[in-house]
């Protein structure tokens, strides 16, 4: 099973992307200056075009925006999609003959990657809202197991079936949980889980994912 990790940034940074190719015939020229900053959680990717004075001709702006979105589909940590980042397109330049849509798209991709190097990118992991219903006899064992899985117990309730434990646990730690829960409680406990949010992964987890990638 694959975990749907995400990437984002933790500080603002500037970036420059420049594509200059000369191969005898018509060349390729695109130049984009931009800056990136963390966006409000859940906002996704937002982009503002702040270019003035025709530094990037209007007919190439859509290509720049397309390049930014393409770059956001593959982060620089481990290639996962990027979320919650704001991008300002601030400047650039063009060549009367060699500039075209593809050159500006590539320049934007290079500019985003350049900015991300200095924006302290971080890996985000999906965190699940886990609800375990168990006879009271097994409450301690279950809470200990959730803690070992990097879970945070949010609270407990009572029911006719026993204790109801509410916790938030990284999805990557939940593989095999159904089997482990049955074994620990002789099949008397049950659980459910649903997606809660994305949260920054600990450095050791991020390093392991990066090495795998």
């Amino acid at each position: 099973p694959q975990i749907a990790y995400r990437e984002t940034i933790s500080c603002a940074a500037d970036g420059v992307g420049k594509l200059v190719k000369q191969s005898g015939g018509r060349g390729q020229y695109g130049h984009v200056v931009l800056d990136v900053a963390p966006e409000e959680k859940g906002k996704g990717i937002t982009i503002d075009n702040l270019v003035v004075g025709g530094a990037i001709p209007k007919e190439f702006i859509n290509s720049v925006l397309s390049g930014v979105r393409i770059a956001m589909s593959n982060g620089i940590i481990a290639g996962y999609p990027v979320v919650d980042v704001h991008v300002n397109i601030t400047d650039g330049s063009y060549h009367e003959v060699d500039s075209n849509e593809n050159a500006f798209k590539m320049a934007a991709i290079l500019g985003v990657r350049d900015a991300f190097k200095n924006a302290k990118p971080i890996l985000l992991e999906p965190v699940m809202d886990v609800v375990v219903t168990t006879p009271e006899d097994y409450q301690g064992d279950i809470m200990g197991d959730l803690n070992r899985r990097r879970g945070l117990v949010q609270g407990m309730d009572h029911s006719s079936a026993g204790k109801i434990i509410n916790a938030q646990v990284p999805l990557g730690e939940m593989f095999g949980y159904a089997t482990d829960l049955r074994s620990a409680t002789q099949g008397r406990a049950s659980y459910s889980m649903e997606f809660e949010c994305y949260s920054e992964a600990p450095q050791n987890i991020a390093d392991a994912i990066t090495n795998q990638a």
Side-chain angles (χ1 to χ4, degrees):
Q2 298 293 310
I3 303 295
Y5 293 101
R6 295 289 184 266
E7 299 182 25
T8 192
I9 58 175
S10 53
C11 70
D14 300 327
V16 177
K18 198 167 190 178
L19 181 71
V20 182
K21 286 187 177 181
Q22 296 293 336
S23 55
R26 183 170 178 175
Q28 298 270 325
Y29 184 94
H31 175 215
V32 176
V33 180
L34 51 80
D35 60 65
V36 299
E39 180 58 280
E40 184 181 331
K41 199 170 185 178
K43 274 290 194 71
I45 305 301
T46 56
I47 311 171
D48 282 339
N49 173 27
L50 305 181
V51 175
V52 295
I56 299 177
K58 289 183 178 179
E59 61 265 32
F60 298 135
I61 292 297
N62 282 340
S63 297
V64 172
L65 300 180
S66 176
V68 169
R69 295 189 182 99
I70 290 172
M72 294 296 179
S73 67
N74 291 282
I76 68 170
I77 297 176
Y80 288 100
V82 175
V83 296
D84 302 337
V85 172
H86 180 73
V87 182
N88 289 318
I89 313 298
T90 58
D91 202 0
S93 63
Y94 70 101
H95 187 280
E96 288 284 357
V97 177
D98 293 344
S99 287
N100 55 52
E101 292 181 353
N102 185 64
F104 271 101
K105 183 187 296 183
M106 288 302 303
I109 293 173
L110 294 172
V112 170
R113 290 178 178 168
D114 182 51
F116 267 44
K117 292 175 185 176
N118 298 314
K120 296 182 180 177
I122 56 176
L123 187 75
L124 302 174
E125 62 180 353
V127 175
M128 311 303 287
D129 188 18
V130 179
V131 179
V132 183
T133 303
T134 176
E136 191 168 348
D137 294 347
Y138 303 108
Q139 172 188 330
D141 291 341
I142 288 174
M143 291 179 66
D145 182 59
L146 290 172
N147 286 332
R148 285 190 292 274
R149 295 173 186 269
R150 296 192 288 122
L152 294 175
V153 175
Q154 304 294 303
M156 287 188 294
D157 296 309
H158 300 278
S159 76
S160 57
K163 295 286 188 178
I164 300 175
I165 302 171
N166 297 279
Q168 292 184 354
V169 189
L171 179 58
E173 304 291 343
M174 289 298 290
F175 290 125
Y177 186 63
T179 300
D180 293 344
L181 186 64
R182 282 196 301 269
S183 299
T185 65
Q186 299 178 5
R188 297 172 64 191
S190 62
Y191 84 103
S192 65
M193 70 176 181
E194 60 182 24
F195 175 75
E196 173 64 25
C197 64
Y198 275 97
S199 182
E200 182 177 353
Q203 191 59 51
N204 63 317
I205 301 295
D207 290 344
I209 298 302
T210 303
N211 291 335
Q212 288 178 11

